Amino acid sequence: MSPTVPPERIGPGFVPRPRSTVRSVELDGELVLFEPTTGGLHALDPIGALVWTGFDGRATVGQVAAELSEAFGADPEAVLADVLELVRGLGRAGLLRGVGGRPGPRRATHARPTVALFDRKGVAWDGHRLLQDPPGG
């Protein structure tokens, strides 16, 4: 078994990996995550959904944040802070492998929106690159 990190200790070098039990469905641009072990439902806004789909088991939090910052011309520090906050929340909710602590409560939650990186729908992330150009790009 690999070592675990407490959610509050997750840093830019952490490689987020969704738990294999997490199921997801897209609804109106948001992503709803279900963790059957805890019974928790978690809704991610479009930016949170974009970040979640970047969790490919290879990219670090820092790499995901840097790619988003560069692609959208957003402040790198602000993007990293927001991505870290999101990842720590997902870890506390029991949705990520390698994150210790008790899984989140058995209730629905809605992740706090991350920094507004774009204002156009239809941008997708495959874990390494954007599948469509950002506005003005």
Side-chain angles (χ1 to χ4, degrees):
M1 179 175 255
S2 62
T4 61
V5 61
E8 64 276 0
R9 304 265 332 256
I10 290 174
F14 180 76
V15 177
R17 293 175 182 88
R19 291 182 56 173
S20 61
T21 54
V22 176
R23 300 294 175 249
S24 64
V25 64
E26 183 182 341
L27 297 170
D28 295 327
E30 294 192 352
L31 194 63
V32 178
L33 307 175
F34 175 65
E35 207 320 301
T37 306
T38 64
L41 284 173
H42 311 275
L44 301 178
D45 68 10
I47 298 296
L50 185 67
V51 173
W52 176 265
T53 60
F55 299 164
D56 64 359
R58 295 184 306 264
T60 66
V61 170
Q63 290 169 327
V64 170
E67 183 75 21
L68 291 170
S69 173
E70 183 178 327
F72 293 109
D75 176 53
E77 289 181 21
V79 174
L80 178 59
D82 285 346
V83 172
L84 280 169
E85 182 178 334
L86 176 65
V87 172
R88 290 172 182 151
L90 295 169
R92 279 190 291 277
L95 301 173
L96 300 174
R97 290 188 285 170
V99 180
R102 195 167 53 181
R106 295 180 58 94
R107 61 179 172 78
T109 61
H110 193 281
R112 180 182 159 290
T114 56
V115 72
L117 297 175
F118 64 91
D119 58 7
R120 182 179 82 184
K121 292 184 179 186
V123 177
W125 174 265
D126 74 351
H128 298 288
R129 60 185 164 73
L130 293 172
L131 298 178
Q132 294 182 356
D133 293 329

